[in-house]
Amino acid sequence: MATKIIERLYNTDPELTYKPDLVKYETVHLPKITSYREELASKFPQETVLKPGLLADKGIEIPLDFESSVFKDGPKLAKASGFFTDRELEILELKAIEIIERIAAGEQTALETITAFIKQAAIAQQVTNCAMDFFPEEAFERARELDKYFAETGKTVGPMHGLPVSVKEHYAFKGKVTSCGFVSKLNDVEEIDAYITDLFKKTGAVYYIRTTQPQTIMHLDSFNNIIGLCRNPYNTALSPGGSSSGEAALVGMRGSPLGCGSDIGGSIRCPAAFCNIWGLKPTARRLSCLGSRSQFTKHSNEMILPTFGPMANSADDLELFMKVCSDSKPWLYDNYVLRMPWIKDVKFAIGDLKIAIVLDDGVVKPSPPILRALLLAKKALESAGVGKIIEWESFKTVEALEICYNAYTKDGNFNARAVLGASGEPLAPLTEHYMRFGTGDKKLSNLEIMECENRRDVLRQEFQLKMNERDIDFILTPAYFAPAGIPHKIKYWGYTAVYNILDLPGVSFPTGIKVNKSIDKKDVNYQPRNDMEEYEYPMYDEEVYDGMPIGLMLQGRRYHDEETLAAAKLIQEVISKASRT
Amino acid sequence: MATKIIERLYNTDPELTYKPDLVKYETVHLPKITSYREELASKFPQETVLKPGLLADKGIEIPLDFESSVFKDGPKLAKASGFFTDRELEILELKAIEIIERIAAGEQTALETITAFIKQAAIAQQVTNCAMDFFPEEAFERARELDKYFAETGKTVGPMHGLPVSVKEHYAFKGKVTSCGFVSKLNDVEEIDAYITDLFKKTGAVYYIRTTQPQTIMHLDSFNNIIGLCRNPYNTALSPGGSSSGEAALVGMRGSPLGCGSDIGGSIRCPAAFCNIWGLKPTARRLSCLGSRSQFTKHSNEMILPTFGPMANSADDLELFMKVCSDSKPWLYDNYVLRMPWIKDVKFAIGDLKIAIVLDDGVVKPSPPILRALLLAKKALESAGVGKIIEWESFKTVEALEICYNAYTKDGNFNARAVLGASGEPLAPLTEHYMRFGTGDKKLSNLEIMECENRRDVLRQEFQLKMNERDIDFILTPAYFAPAGIPHKIKYWGYTAVYNILDLPGVSFPTGIKVNKSIDKKDVNYQPRNDMEEYEYPMYDEEVYDGMPIGLMLQGRRYHDEETLAAAKLIQEVISKASRT
């Protein structure tokens, strides 16, 4: 008989306190949603609409609609579509740091850059439904301004001059609706920019798209009632992950060279791993979160802290984001931010790295392709002369999750209920799941919370001492048991959320390894050890996942974001090289 | 009619939930206290006992007992007592950094150093009753070991080789009772050293004394039921402040060159200012607090964070403490510590300093001598060419205190009641005061706490923006409305605690200015603006305070501990120079 951990981690009461008001929702709010969607759709250019049918000579079949199809060729569309010049295709392949270098050298204009990315974002939107907001005209105008400034002065306005940047919708954006996925907030026009949004604007970023997140921003999936489900660029029947769903899908399609996400339980690392891109969840408070919009408005929850963070197609671009933020000395303007300037010259030799690898977290065993990727990674690192690589023995995973889940619903869902209730919108299945985290609606007393916070502090210390005892600096781990999740079904956050409650920095990266249905067969004889594994493990199926790229994740020591990123870069080079041989 | 703020800041219910159990206390615990005191007394050397009567040719009258006398000559006793050689007197006057330099250069031994300080600590004990624990034999042994090591190797064991260090009793100390002033914990022998205690041991510190703190460690005064009241070295009828009472009294007597204190509401800065020494309250989490013992055991309270910190006779010695801690990279061993290495080369020119001066916090007006010191400081800084000095307009002081006081009793005194109740010990008057902070025994709900934490976060941000708007980096302020407090009476924490809830670093320092009864006359016509001021302000009296040295305090920006200390050093030089002219 499998162990029961679901009752320990979730409030399994059949009834939730929240009751949707479908009459109010349908009469008052559905019309708003419809017009929001129509307006959004009207912003996308007609000339990049993909016509259903076979793309000439490319072997790619464009479906009648992407929503109900299994489409795996998203990332190939730019080249196949015929919508781009060769120069534009070249631009789409550039790293963010290459784009700004070229523009600063006068080799490329901001206008041609944003033109390419806007066209590609339009394709990404068709394939993945990643956008919550799109404003190409403003982007063109800003790009022209920047080009004019550069032509006249020979200077850039800042280190992001001309760089297209995409941003998760819940970053406050001045003058634009910032609903954070709540129907009731569809009319909320922001008066300020988030610190980071504003900073990047000032340093020359060109904004053109804001991307989707799930209802309550608390799923490792993507559904909200405003724009619906976002899809994975590598397989539209799979989830792009969440909650930075739209960023991952867009960046994964190379519709943006640099995305702004956020993470409190895996929301950067999980979608980055699902969509074959890079994502950094910094240690909390290294970045300003001023202007982060969510259900929490008048209640602070420091039991677990969210963080913003970058998503991109290279480690260097993640670092660019961190450097630009750090160079602005955010701690002088946002009291929340730690005064920890980004250390710019961290470099490792492979022999310096001491790593533990998680082949199983003890709760949900990794699916066959993930396990194969981990073992390949281990072997590749050993061959490359890694300083040390040991298997990580699972350490208090369930206890960490118990504390973590109590933290998420510390307010007994008071705030979520308020913002949801304002429109009466129905709950997505994974919102119901989230509202059952910890003790769910039945909030803990203040003293119980203080005790739980003490358990968290003790656990953080124990975990650190365990890393010291095992003499390792990094943990190489899956981001999820499978290469991506099934929409509406992803319930297990264990591979990522543990590092949120521990407040350790983490980087997701593409391995170059792909699911191969002939070798990564479902283990049908596996006996799940607990009810969570019983739920999750059977969801992997080699037929569904065939061809999916596999991402992994590197977690580091608290506040050692620089080292974690530098190590991830090195490790990724080793693994992806091995994946090609 | 004066405004009522007491009801806003305190739970004024006449009854407290806590009821002493005097039968249990007197039958079970008083005998333990008596033997604890006797054992403590027996550790002090007989040869340094001060005999009542006139000290030959020195004009100093040693009272029959210090407890019931007004004795103002504590700091003169070393020289006057005749107990010391000239070389020992010279040693007592050295800074900690000079001591370690001399020992490392072979110019002084650890043994002669500790010998001088042990004798002076014995005098300090008679004058101030500062000790909770005293162990000279262990200290001599350690000093001999260190001297032997140095003689044999020509090397020091570490950067504190041979330095006598005193430590507030609630730092865990391996193998010794660590009661933190609670009677019920008088048998609690510690199994570990606090991180800092251990670190300093390893780097060569010589421990010989552990010093007193008040019941619950939550008074700006010094009384506990174990050893009673600690006295101010400059006037035994006045309080040494608290809660680092014993450290301040001892260091003020030069019975220790470097003390280890702690601060959550003024507990380093207030006693440092009262006892004419230097004290640094760092930003929270810059130092390890591992092994800090208090009533909180299984409940974390991160609404307001305590911090350890140094107390000494010079700014350089405070920096020594911080550097040694930072050089040990505590963030690798204690998850709580921020990875913020101490910046070692911070220097200012006077023209770089932008300061606001607090002439009144809007709640309790500074007493005449404090006001005179502030105005003299302002004039001196202006004459010295300070970059900027403006008067600080009081900003949300009462609101800050309201949040802060709710934070202190966040657990509704659950933990204090448990540890007090274990012995049934009676409450000191200022423990009753502390237990009424915020909503006192009537604890807030979890949601109310989250709301209050949000108010704190908003306030921190507003305060920082206010500093930006006023374009200042430092706040020069009293630590208390008077140069010291009256024992059992000090209720107003406003001048220090505001910076705890804001989490700003602060340094207390001696100004060189003393109360002069002929000019610092009590303002008998002053009309208090509120009931707190009505209580505090009349306590100042020029006859009582005549001759008391005046300390002030410099607060800086969050995490800018280095800058705050460097600026305080410069400012102190300017003010103390002006005080001599």
Side-chain angles (χ1 to χ4, degrees):
Chain A
M1 175 63 190
T3 314
K4 288 191 185 300
I5 64 166
I6 287 178
E7 275 176 29
R8 184 166 163 199
L9 296 177
Y10 309 90
N11 182 334
T12 53
D13 287 351
E15 291 287 309
L16 286 177
T17 310
Y18 178 76
K19 302 291 172 218
D21 181 344
L22 292 181
V23 174
K24 178 165 80 176
Y25 175 67
E26 282 166 17
T27 54
V28 180
H29 296 281
L30 264 187
K32 285 185 195 169
I33 292 172
T34 306
S35 65
Y36 186 91
R37 286 187 182 203
E38 284 169 1
E39 199 189 330
L40 177 61
S42 74
K43 303 280 184 64
F44 286 90
Q46 283 306 305
E47 62 269 28
T48 46
V49 173
L50 297 159
K51 306 278 181 310
L54 200 65
L55 272 181
D57 304 328
K58 312 290 178 183
I60 296 175
E61 176 80 25
I62 304 296
L64 269 172
D65 77 292
F66 288 92
E67 200 170 342
S68 50
S69 311
V70 179
F71 183 76
K72 298 187 173 184
D73 295 321
K76 296 180 189 157
L77 283 177
K79 207 170 277 182
S81 66
F83 297 153
F84 297 87
T85 64
D86 285 350
R87 182 162 167 101
E88 283 173 338
L89 289 174
E90 187 191 324
I91 288 172
L92 293 182
E93 291 301 312
L94 295 174
K95 292 182 188 178
I97 57 162
E98 292 167 336
I99 291 173
I100 53 178
E101 261 175 39
R102 284 196 186 200
I103 295 179
E107 297 162 13
Q108 187 172 313
T109 65
L111 187 62
E112 64 176 334
T113 308
I114 193 64
T115 302
F117 281 99
I118 282 176
K119 282 158 73 176
Q120 181 60 3
I123 293 177
Q125 171 66 2
Q126 295 168 71
V127 178
T128 70
N129 191 36
C130 57
M132 287 285 286
D133 196 3
F134 195 62
F135 36 97
E137 291 309 321
E138 292 169 45
F140 291 136
E141 195 187 323
R142 176 66 175 146
R144 279 188 208 103
E145 258 176 38
L146 290 166
D147 285 336
K148 186 159 175 273
Y149 179 88
F150 184 78
E152 286 172 6
T153 65
K155 290 180 192 161
T156 61
V157 301
M160 288 195 169
H161 187 104
L163 182 70
V165 173
S166 56
V167 58
K168 192 172 176 180
E169 198 257 10
H170 83 121
Y171 282 60
F173 205 104
K174 192 174 173 178
K176 296 192 181 298
V177 167
T178 301
S179 68
C180 37
F182 288 105
V183 172
S184 64
K185 291 165 77 71
L186 258 188
N187 293 337
D188 287 13
V189 175
E190 265 300 334
E191 289 176 8
I192 62 153
D193 277 311
Y195 178 87
I196 289 180
T197 322
D198 178 58
L199 171 68
F200 289 178
K201 259 186 203 170
K202 285 177 182 155
T203 58
V206 179
Y207 290 112
Y208 57 114
I209 189 167
R210 296 164 68 218
T211 62
T212 191
Q213 64 256 319
Q215 189 182 44
T216 69
I217 329 183
M218 291 298 284
H219 313 168
L220 293 185
D221 190 29
S222 75
F223 180 83
N224 68 48
N225 282 318
I226 300 168
I227 61 118
L229 204 62
C230 177
R231 300 177 288 270
N232 192 302
Y234 287 87
N235 182 337
T236 52
L238 290 174
S239 171
S243 66
S244 306
S245 320
E247 285 304 313
L250 180 67
V251 174
M253 287 286 296
R254 289 194 172 267
S256 163
L258 184 61
C260 305
S262 63
D263 193 316
I264 196 173
S267 286
I268 285 173
R269 292 158 297 154
C270 158
F274 287 12
C275 294
N276 204 35
I277 66 169
W278 288 78
L280 166 65
K281 177 205 87 73
T283 310
R285 299 177 61 212
R286 291 214 59 180
L287 292 175
S288 171
C289 283
L290 267 188
S292 172
R293 300 295 181 233
S294 74
Q295 53 268 42
F296 286 93
T297 49
K298 299 235 178 282
H299 295 98
S300 284
N301 183 358
E302 61 183 336
M303 190 163 166
I304 187 157
L305 294 173
T307 175
F308 284 162
M311 304 172 80
N313 279 299
S314 81
D316 294 335
D317 296 339
L318 303 184
E319 196 179 12
L320 167 72
F321 182 115
M322 297 304 288
K323 280 181 187 169
V324 171
C325 286
S326 173
D327 287 346
S328 76
K329 300 189 176 172
W331 46 84
L332 294 177
Y333 311 100
D334 179 358
N335 193 275
Y336 176 84
V337 186
L338 298 172
R339 183 199 191 187
M340 285 190 192
W342 185 261
I343 305 169
K344 298 188 183 180
D345 50 3
V346 175
K347 285 214 167 56
F348 290 110
I350 190 80
D352 298 334
L353 300 181
K354 297 189 284 186
I355 306 169
I357 189 165
V358 179
L359 299 180
D360 187 347
D361 77 344
V363 181
V364 177
K365 182 182 157 93
S367 59
I370 296 283
L371 210 48
R372 179 169 64 84
L374 288 164
L375 294 171
L376 188 150
K378 184 161 182 283
K379 204 171 148 198
L381 287 163
E382 281 164 349
S383 304
V386 70
K388 176 175 183 175
I389 189 160
I390 58 168
E391 285 180 30
W392 180 258
E393 196 183 320
S394 162
F395 182 72
K396 300 197 176 180
T397 306
V398 177
E399 184 173 342
L401 292 175
E402 197 175 29
I403 297 165
C404 184
Y405 291 176
N406 275 321
Y408 292 138
T409 55
K410 180 176 171 182
D411 70 339
N413 296 318
F414 174 88
N415 289 283
R417 274 198 304 277
V419 188
L420 293 164
S423 72
E425 63 178 300
L427 300 186
L430 290 177
T431 300
E432 289 205 26
H433 176 63
Y434 154 61
M435 291 177 100
R436 288 196 165 91
F437 274 13
T439 54
D441 292 337
K442 185 177 150 291
K443 62 178 173 292
L444 296 175
S445 77
N446 176 23
L447 218 52
E448 286 168 324
I449 289 288
M450 291 175 82
E451 197 183 328
C452 197
E453 285 172 349
N454 186 252
R455 283 173 60 201
R456 177 202 61 189
D457 296 344
V458 169
L459 182 80
R460 284 180 179 172
Q461 181 64 5
E462 286 176 346
F463 198 94
Q464 176 147 328
L465 295 181
K466 194 56 80 180
M467 287 181 74
N468 291 351
E469 180 193 317
R470 293 177 182 173
D471 188 28
I472 55 104
D473 294 316
F474 303 103
I475 299 174
L476 181 61
T477 168
Y480 180 61
F481 94 100
I486 309 289
H488 302 298
K489 302 286 187 194
I490 314 165
K491 289 194 174 173
Y492 186 59
W493 295 24
Y495 282 97
T496 49
V498 162
Y499 305 101
N500 292 85
I501 196 69
L502 293 171
D503 196 25
L504 305 184
V507 178
S508 286
F509 56 86
T511 61
I513 307 166
K514 290 179 182 173
V515 177
N516 179 339
K517 68 178 176 181
S518 64
I519 51 176
D520 297 322
K521 291 193 185 302
K522 182 172 184 164
D523 180 0
V524 289
N525 296 318
Y526 182 69
Q527 292 299 316
R529 296 162 291 183
N530 59 70
D531 47 3
M532 178 53 87
E533 197 170 40
E534 205 161 52
Y535 169 82
E536 290 276 346
Y537 196 78
M539 280 198 281
Y540 170 75
D541 186 303
E542 68 268 20
E543 293 295 335
V544 175
Y545 283 87
D546 188 42
M548 276 301 286
I550 293 172
L552 290 176
M553 204 168 79
L554 191 76
Q555 294 289 149
R557 287 175 179 270
R558 199 174 189 190
Y559 308 121
H560 289 63
D561 304 69
E562 293 86 340
E563 286 80 359
T564 309
L565 184 53
K569 187 176 171 179
L570 197 51
I571 288 168
Q572 194 271 349
E573 281 164 11
V574 170
I575 301 174
S576 66
K577 195 175 155 199
S579 78
R580 290 192 296 269
T581 58
Chain B
M1 177 61 190
T3 314
K4 288 190 186 301
I5 64 165
I6 287 179
E7 276 177 28
R8 185 168 162 197
L9 295 179
Y10 308 90
N11 182 334
T12 53
D13 286 351
E15 292 286 309
L16 285 177
T17 310
Y18 178 76
K19 303 291 171 217
D21 181 343
L22 292 182
V23 173
K24 178 165 80 177
Y25 175 67
E26 282 166 17
T27 55
V28 180
H29 296 280
L30 263 187
K32 285 185 196 168
I33 291 173
T34 306
S35 64
Y36 186 90
R37 285 188 184 201
E38 284 169 2
E39 198 188 332
L40 178 60
S42 73
K43 302 280 185 64
F44 285 91
Q46 283 305 306
E47 62 271 26
T48 45
V49 172
L50 297 159
K51 308 274 183 307
L54 201 63
L55 272 181
D57 302 331
K58 312 290 180 184
I60 297 176
E61 176 79 24
I62 304 295
L64 271 171
D65 77 293
F66 287 93
E67 199 169 344
S68 51
S69 310
V70 177
F71 182 76
K72 297 187 172 184
D73 295 321
K76 296 179 189 158
L77 283 177
K79 209 171 277 183
S81 65
F83 297 152
F84 296 88
T85 64
D86 284 351
R87 182 163 167 96
E88 284 173 339
L89 289 174
E90 189 190 324
I91 288 172
L92 293 181
E93 290 302 311
L94 295 174
K95 292 182 186 178
I97 56 161
E98 291 167 336
I99 291 174
I100 53 178
E101 262 176 37
R102 283 197 186 199
I103 295 179
E107 297 163 12
Q108 187 173 313
T109 65
L111 187 62
E112 63 176 334
T113 308
I114 194 65
T115 302
F117 280 100
I118 280 175
K119 283 157 74 174
Q120 181 60 2
I123 294 179
Q125 171 66 2
Q126 295 168 71
V127 179
T128 69
N129 191 36
C130 56
M132 288 284 287
D133 196 2
F134 195 61
F135 37 96
E137 291 311 321
E138 292 169 47
F140 290 136
E141 194 187 323
R142 176 66 175 145
R144 279 189 209 101
E145 257 176 38
L146 290 166
D147 286 336
K148 184 158 175 274
Y149 180 88
F150 184 78
E152 286 171 5
T153 65
K155 290 179 192 163
T156 61
V157 303
M160 287 194 169
H161 187 103
L163 183 69
V165 172
S166 56
V167 57
K168 191 173 177 179
E169 198 257 8
H170 83 119
Y171 281 61
F173 205 104
K174 192 174 174 176
K176 297 193 180 296
V177 168
T178 301
S179 68
C180 38
F182 288 104
V183 171
S184 63
K185 291 164 78 71
L186 258 187
N187 294 336
D188 287 14
V189 175
E190 264 300 333
E191 289 174 9
I192 62 154
D193 278 311
Y195 178 88
I196 289 180
T197 322
D198 178 58
L199 171 68
F200 289 177
K201 261 186 202 171
K202 285 177 182 155
T203 58
V206 179
Y207 290 112
Y208 57 113
I209 189 167
R210 296 164 68 218
T211 61
T212 191
Q213 64 257 317
Q215 190 182 43
T216 68
I217 331 182
M218 291 299 284
H219 314 169
L220 293 185
D221 191 27
S222 74
F223 180 85
N224 68 48
N225 282 318
I226 301 168
I227 62 118
L229 205 61
C230 178
R231 300 177 287 271
N232 192 303
Y234 286 88
N235 182 338
T236 52
L238 290 174
S239 171
S243 65
S244 307
S245 318
E247 285 304 313
L250 179 69
V251 175
M253 286 286 296
R254 289 195 173 268
S256 163
L258 184 61
C260 306
S262 63
D263 193 316
I264 197 173
S267 285
I268 286 173
R269 292 159 296 153
C270 157
F274 286 12
C275 294
N276 204 35
I277 65 169
W278 288 78
L280 167 65
K281 177 203 89 72
T283 310
R285 300 178 61 212
R286 289 215 58 180
L287 292 175
S288 170
C289 283
L290 267 187
S292 173
R293 300 294 181 234
S294 74
Q295 55 269 41
F296 285 92
T297 49
K298 298 234 180 282
H299 295 98
S300 285
N301 183 357
E302 63 183 335
M303 191 163 165
I304 187 158
L305 294 173
T307 176
F308 284 161
M311 304 172 79
N313 279 299
S314 81
D316 294 335
D317 296 339
L318 304 184
E319 197 179 11
L320 168 71
F321 181 116
M322 299 303 288
K323 279 179 187 169
V324 171
C325 287
S326 172
D327 286 348
S328 76
K329 300 190 176 171
W331 45 84
L332 294 178
Y333 311 100
D334 179 358
N335 193 275
Y336 177 84
V337 185
L338 297 172
R339 184 199 192 187
M340 284 190 192
W342 185 261
I343 306 169
K344 298 188 184 180
D345 52 1
V346 174
K347 284 213 168 55
F348 289 111
I350 189 80
D352 297 334
L353 301 180
K354 296 189 284 187
I355 306 168
I357 189 165
V358 178
L359 300 180
D360 187 347
D361 78 343
V363 180
V364 178
K365 182 183 158 92
S367 59
I370 296 284
L371 210 48
R372 180 169 64 83
L374 288 164
L375 293 171
L376 187 149
K378 183 162 184 281
K379 205 173 147 196
L381 287 164
E382 281 164 350
S383 302
V386 70
K388 176 176 185 175
I389 188 160
I390 58 167
E391 286 179 30
W392 180 257
E393 195 182 321
S394 162
F395 182 72
K396 301 197 177 179
T397 306
V398 177
E399 185 172 339
L401 292 175
E402 196 174 29
I403 297 165
C404 185
Y405 291 177
N406 274 321
Y408 291 138
T409 56
K410 179 176 171 182
D411 69 341
N413 296 317
F414 173 89
N415 290 283
R417 274 198 306 276
V419 188
L420 292 164
S423 71
E425 64 179 299
L427 300 186
L430 290 177
T431 300
E432 290 206 23
H433 177 63
Y434 154 61
M435 291 177 100
R436 289 197 165 90
F437 274 13
T439 54
D441 292 336
K442 185 177 152 291
K443 63 176 173 292
L444 297 175
S445 77
N446 176 24
L447 218 51
E448 285 167 326
I449 289 288
M450 291 175 81
E451 197 182 328
C452 198
E453 286 172 348
N454 186 252
R455 283 173 61 203
R456 176 202 62 189
D457 295 343
V458 169
L459 182 79
R460 285 180 177 171
Q461 181 64 3
E462 286 176 346
F463 199 93
Q464 175 147 327
L465 295 181
K466 194 56 80 178
M467 288 182 74
N468 291 351
E469 181 193 317
R470 292 177 182 173
D471 187 27
I472 55 105
D473 294 317
F474 303 104
I475 299 175
L476 181 61
T477 167
Y480 180 60
F481 95 100
I486 309 289
H488 302 298
K489 302 286 187 195
I490 313 166
K491 290 195 176 174
Y492 186 59
W493 296 22
Y495 282 98
T496 48
V498 162
Y499 305 102
N500 292 84
I501 196 69
L502 292 171
D503 195 25
L504 305 184
V507 178
S508 286
F509 57 85
T511 61
I513 306 166
K514 291 178 181 173
V515 176
N516 179 339
K517 68 177 175 181
S518 64
I519 51 176
D520 296 323
K521 292 193 184 299
K522 182 172 184 164
D523 180 359
V524 290
N525 296 317
Y526 182 69
Q527 292 300 315
R529 296 161 293 183
N530 59 70
D531 46 5
M532 178 52 86
E533 197 171 42
E534 204 160 53
Y535 168 81
E536 290 277 346
Y537 196 77
M539 282 199 280
Y540 170 75
D541 185 303
E542 68 269 19
E543 292 295 335
V544 175
Y545 282 87
D546 188 40
M548 277 299 287
I550 294 171
L552 290 176
M553 204 168 80
L554 191 75
Q555 295 288 151
R557 286 176 180 269
R558 198 173 190 191
Y559 309 119
H560 288 63
D561 302 70
E562 293 87 339
E563 287 78 0
T564 308
L565 184 53
K569 186 176 172 180
L570 197 52
I571 289 168
Q572 195 270 349
E573 281 165 10
V574 170
I575 300 174
S576 64
K577 195 175 155 199
S579 78
R580 292 191 295 269
T581 58

